[in-house]
Amino acid sequence: MSVIYDPVHWTPHKKTYDRLIAAFVFAYLALFCGLQLLLHPQITAETLVIRATGTLAYLMLHIILIIGPLCRLSPRFLPLLYNRRHLGVSMFLIALVHGIFNLVQFHSLGNVDPLLSLFTSNTQFGSLARFPFQSLGFFALVILFLMAATSHDFWLKNLSPPVWKALHMGVYAAYAMLVMHVMLGVVQLEKSPVLIALTGAGMFTVIGIHLAAAIRQSGKDQGSVRKKISGRDMETQQQAADSDQMFSGFVYACEVSDIADNRAKMLTISGEQIALFKYGNKLSAVHNLCKHQNGPLSEGKIIDGCITCPWHGYQYLPENGQSPPPFEEKVCTYDVRVLGTKIYVNPKPYPAGTPRPAALIAE
Amino acid sequence: MNQDAEFYIGWQTETPPGFARAVRRFIIGLCLLVPVVAALIVVFQSGFSGATFEYGKKTTLEGTFSRSPVPFLSIHSGINAAGKPVLQKILLVGPGKFGFDATAKYKNLQNGALVTLTGFLIYHDGKTGMQVESIENQAITGNQQPITDKQQPVSSPVTLRGEITDPKCLLGVMKPGLGKPHRDCAVRCIAGGIPPVLKVANTAGETEYYLLAGPKGEPINNLLLEYVSDGVQLCGRLDPEGDWPVLYVDPANIRRINKGALNPGNTCN
């Protein structure tokens, strides 16, 4: 978190993460180029650079894409998510080298401008076999550029989280274009089934992990759904009568014992995703999505009295949904009531940052 | 309930042991997987030809210039077993993705002129080309007479199947200098005036390269652009002599074929 513009808000973990990225990049390039020169000494320097950077960027994109769903499957992979944006920017820079070398190699020093050549040398869009695959790579690179250029909390704040998130979901469009870029490009030349299988394996890994995470999340979401109650659902008619006024609009959430101390339970009530926290003998509810990158606050923890997002550590006070000063992020708050061991939540949200008294759990 | 007691926050100094262990395993997995992937890519790619582009290493040649059907320099390259001089044709191209004629000062060079030519050699599979950097006319002396060469095709019509690309890249400027990834580059080269070439391979793995010209030897570069890097079947009259055979074709008779049908043989009539 940062309240002033800071190019990179360095933490020890980010430094370690970046060192690992650098080591990975250099190790891959050294290995790939070394093997190429050993097994194919006839290769030209330009082709070596194009293939080394192309395969590396493509591989890194796969890693980037599986980190998100991997963290949904097990939060223990969250350290990989913490500085993923540096991995993304590194991948873009490597892809940019690949793109520039391709533009120079295949389109420069000709009778038309290189960029014009890129779009006019092959216009056979109607044929899959002859499809101008390089234009797919170009448009994917444009998307990756927009993502890399806005991979900073400055842009997140100024574009607003929903716009920023939508922009960064463009990575899936870029990935789809790059799969086609590879399949309609180099795979058309390199007929080896091993290379086709590798491309397929990468694609199925990305899709498979996303599906597994989606299925798991769907199960969680269904488990979190709560429906509005009627008096008959209350323990006794007397309780219903006594609580008609007090519990109007409230929905049964769970038992007090269902929530671990300093942890939360996610609820979905009337489409509203709510994180219900228990801390000490108190209960508070806030909107489930972190203002930073829509991280699931219900998977967070109360640390130093603050709800702490599991993704990047953004914090909110449970009783008003406000980040502690000097930070300014706010989430919606909800009313919570306790009746015996049962917790009820009113799904009507208060404006972000509205203080609501915590419900007290009877001793 | 069953929530993990450990909780990771990126801005804290310590990573909980369970998280560190999971990340370590992920990284070790990558360290094992990535070298295998890199090795598979390198091992199972098609490989590259031994074609050579002597960029930066200037060579000077003396010979006779001919412009049609494509710019050549004809040179004597020794004497054969029968004691007769061996003629070698050097295909001439310009810098970058341009043909020889794209350089304005070369346009007035007379057919049959004796010239001294300096440039970078490009060669592969018994074919030689040169990216011309400078050229000088020579005065004709009694000992140096221009090499005369016939200009017309001599064979009856033949049909050939192969792939059209540009000879400059194919000879060694780029690797690979053909195929789909190279398509746009070949289009630029051919559009820039480099004569198109048809690469034909037979089932025995033998390869021949045919320069392509119109029925009267005129350039047909722009008419072939849409067929570049595709499998094609061409019918025309062949001048098979010398180290650069030329196929004189009518572009209207070009037929696109499946690349899988490229290998059955040179003729398909």
Side-chain angles (χ1 to χ4, degrees):
Chain A
M1 279 198 285
S2 179
V3 287
I4 55 165
Y5 180 79
D6 195 2
V8 180
H9 188 66
W10 288 109
T11 64
H13 287 181
K14 281 189 183 174
K15 287 179 181 174
T16 305
Y17 203 114
D18 283 8
R19 283 190 203 107
L20 286 170
I21 294 172
F24 176 78
V25 167
F26 286 113
Y28 180 87
L29 291 176
L31 178 72
F32 189 89
C33 295
L35 279 173
Q36 283 281 19
L37 293 171
L38 188 70
L39 298 175
H40 304 289
Q42 306 89 347
I43 193 171
T44 61
E46 297 86 349
T47 303
L48 184 62
V49 172
I50 287 171
R51 294 204 174 182
T53 51
T55 53
L56 175 58
Y58 195 56
L59 199 56
M60 287 173 80
L61 181 57
H62 281 79
I63 295 169
I64 289 164
L65 286 172
I66 64 171
I67 285 175
L70 214 51
C71 292
R72 304 305 299 147
L73 291 169
S74 168
R76 285 175 181 255
F77 291 108
L78 280 169
L80 295 169
L81 187 75
Y82 178 62
N83 202 27
R84 186 174 55 167
R85 62 175 58 169
H86 284 199
L87 188 58
V89 172
S90 306
M91 182 272 296
F92 162 72
L93 292 175
I94 292 161
L96 184 64
V97 173
H98 173 80
I100 289 172
F101 263 77
N102 269 292
L103 202 62
V104 171
Q105 171 96 329
F106 296 125
H107 298 281
S108 69
L109 301 175
N111 60 347
V112 296
D113 179 84
L115 273 178
L116 185 63
S117 168
L118 177 66
F119 294 105
T120 57
S121 295
N122 181 3
T123 53
Q124 304 196 51
F125 292 93
S127 164
L128 205 57
R130 294 188 287 279
F131 196 89
F133 73 100
Q134 288 189 343
S135 56
L136 292 171
F138 175 84
F139 287 119
L141 198 58
V142 169
I143 293 174
L144 296 178
F145 164 72
L146 291 174
M147 292 175 59
T150 57
S151 278
H152 194 281
D153 283 352
F154 171 84
W155 286 106
L156 179 64
K157 187 172 180 180
N158 284 285
L159 289 173
S160 83
V163 173
W164 187 90
K165 193 78 183 172
L167 173 67
H168 283 244
M169 291 299 278
V171 71
Y172 292 103
Y175 178 65
M177 283 192 258
L178 289 174
V179 169
M180 297 307 286
H181 174 71
V182 171
M183 294 301 285
L184 300 178
V186 73
V187 167
Q188 300 276 316
L189 175 76
E190 303 288 349
K191 303 288 186 190
S192 167
V194 174
L195 299 178
I196 297 170
L198 275 179
T199 311
M203 196 173 67
F204 285 117
T205 302
V206 168
I207 293 171
I209 291 183
H210 275 80
L211 277 178
I215 291 166
R216 187 184 173 108
Q217 188 62 38
S218 169
K220 273 187 183 176
D221 289 348
Q222 282 179 3
S224 73
V225 172
R226 298 291 183 275
K227 291 177 183 167
K228 293 200 173 183
I229 56 172
S230 66
R232 284 192 298 276
D233 294 322
M234 308 291 262
E235 282 188 336
T236 64
Q237 289 294 325
Q238 185 59 50
Q239 278 180 332
D242 290 346
S243 56
D244 266 351
Q245 288 291 318
M246 187 182 171
F247 286 80
S248 175
F250 279 77
V251 174
Y252 171 72
C254 60
E255 297 294 311
V256 170
S257 59
D258 288 342
I259 311 176
D261 199 29
N262 291 323
R263 291 288 193 160
K265 188 170 187 67
M266 190 184 108
L267 309 167
T268 305
I269 309 170
S270 305
E272 195 77 11
Q273 287 196 355
I274 299 167
L276 174 61
F277 278 90
K278 184 170 96 175
Y279 49 108
N281 67 334
K282 294 179 179 176
L283 291 158
S284 289
V286 299
H287 191 59
N288 186 48
L289 300 181
C290 177
K291 282 293 182 185
H292 178 220
Q293 286 191 24
N294 288 351
L297 292 177
S298 60
E299 293 173 28
K301 188 176 183 180
I302 303 278
I303 294 174
D304 298 332
C306 291
I307 295 167
T308 306
C309 179
W311 282 10
H312 300 93
Y314 272 55
Q315 292 189 309
Y316 304 90
L317 293 162
E319 293 180 29
N320 59 19
Q322 299 175 12
S323 291
F327 305 108
E328 296 172 344
E329 286 75 18
K330 295 172 185 170
V331 288
C332 297
T333 51
Y334 303 86
D335 279 334
V336 182
R337 300 271 188 275
V338 183
L339 186 61
T341 61
K342 298 184 185 303
I343 308 171
Y344 298 86
V345 174
N346 189 330
K348 186 180 173 189
Y350 286 92
T354 305
R356 299 308 303 157
L360 298 177
I361 303 166
E363 295 294 328
Chain B
M1 201 154 62
N2 191 28
Q3 279 174 314
D4 201 327
E6 289 187 339
F7 189 76
Y8 169 79
I9 309 172
W11 41 261
Q12 283 188 337
T13 315
E14 294 296 319
T15 303
F19 286 74
R21 200 161 43 245
V23 172
R24 235 182 348 257
R25 284 178 185 161
F26 183 83
I27 291 170
I28 290 169
L30 278 185
C31 290
L32 294 173
L33 182 67
V34 169
V36 173
V37 171
L40 287 173
I41 292 169
V42 175
V43 169
F44 286 95
Q45 67 187 8
S46 300
F48 305 94
S49 72
T52 304
F53 178 34
E54 293 185 346
Y55 187 69
K57 180 185 169 188
K58 285 190 176 174
T59 298
T60 300
L61 297 171
E62 292 180 0
T64 304
F65 172 75
S66 59
R67 187 177 299 282
S68 180
V70 298
F72 278 128
L73 181 75
S74 296
I75 61 170
H76 290 293
S77 62
I79 294 172
N80 67 13
K84 292 188 175 178
V86 175
L87 187 67
Q88 185 181 5
K89 281 183 174 177
I90 311 290
L91 176 69
L92 304 181
V93 296
K97 296 177 172 61
F98 289 101
F100 177 80
D101 287 339
T103 305
K105 61 183 176 182
Y106 301 159
K107 281 188 175 170
N108 295 326
L109 198 61
Q110 295 297 311
N111 211 33
L114 266 178
V115 292
T116 299
L117 191 148
T118 302
F120 307 125
L121 287 177
I122 320 163
Y123 48 89
H124 175 54
D125 245 358
K127 312 292 177 198
T128 305
M130 176 179 265
Q131 176 178 313
V132 179
E133 295 294 302
S134 65
I135 193 163
E136 287 176 26
N137 269 13
Q138 291 179 351
I140 299 173
T141 67
N143 296 331
Q144 284 182 302
Q145 293 297 322
I147 300 164
T148 53
D149 194 18
K150 59 185 179 301
Q151 299 292 319
Q152 294 301 316
V154 294
S155 80
S156 55
V158 297
T159 303
L160 298 173
R161 287 176 171 180
E163 176 181 337
I164 296 172
T165 186
D166 72 284
K168 185 177 182 182
C169 291
L170 188 66
L171 288 187
V173 174
M174 289 193 191
K175 295 181 183 181
L178 76 173
K180 177 83 180 283
H182 182 257
R183 179 188 193 116
D184 289 8
C185 178
V187 165
R188 281 278 68 76
C189 287
I190 293 170
I194 295 174
V197 67
L198 182 73
K199 183 192 174 196
V200 177
N202 65 21
T203 46
E206 297 162 339
T207 306
E208 187 53 273
Y209 306 90
Y210 300 88
L211 290 167
L212 302 174
K216 295 177 181 172
E218 73 277 20
I220 51 171
N221 295 31
N222 289 336
L223 300 173
L224 298 179
L225 293 181
E226 66 172 300
Y227 298 101
V228 171
S229 91
D230 291 340
V232 290
Q233 177 176 293
L234 298 171
C235 297
R237 285 158 58 83
L238 180 66
D239 176 0
E241 289 193 14
D243 37 11
W244 275 108
V246 179
L247 186 67
Y248 297 82
V249 297
D250 180 355
N253 294 332
I254 294 176
R255 193 154 63 86
R256 199 174 261 126
I257 59 168
N258 190 326
K259 270 195 177 177
L262 289 180
N263 287 330
N266 288 3
T267 59
C268 59
N269 274 337

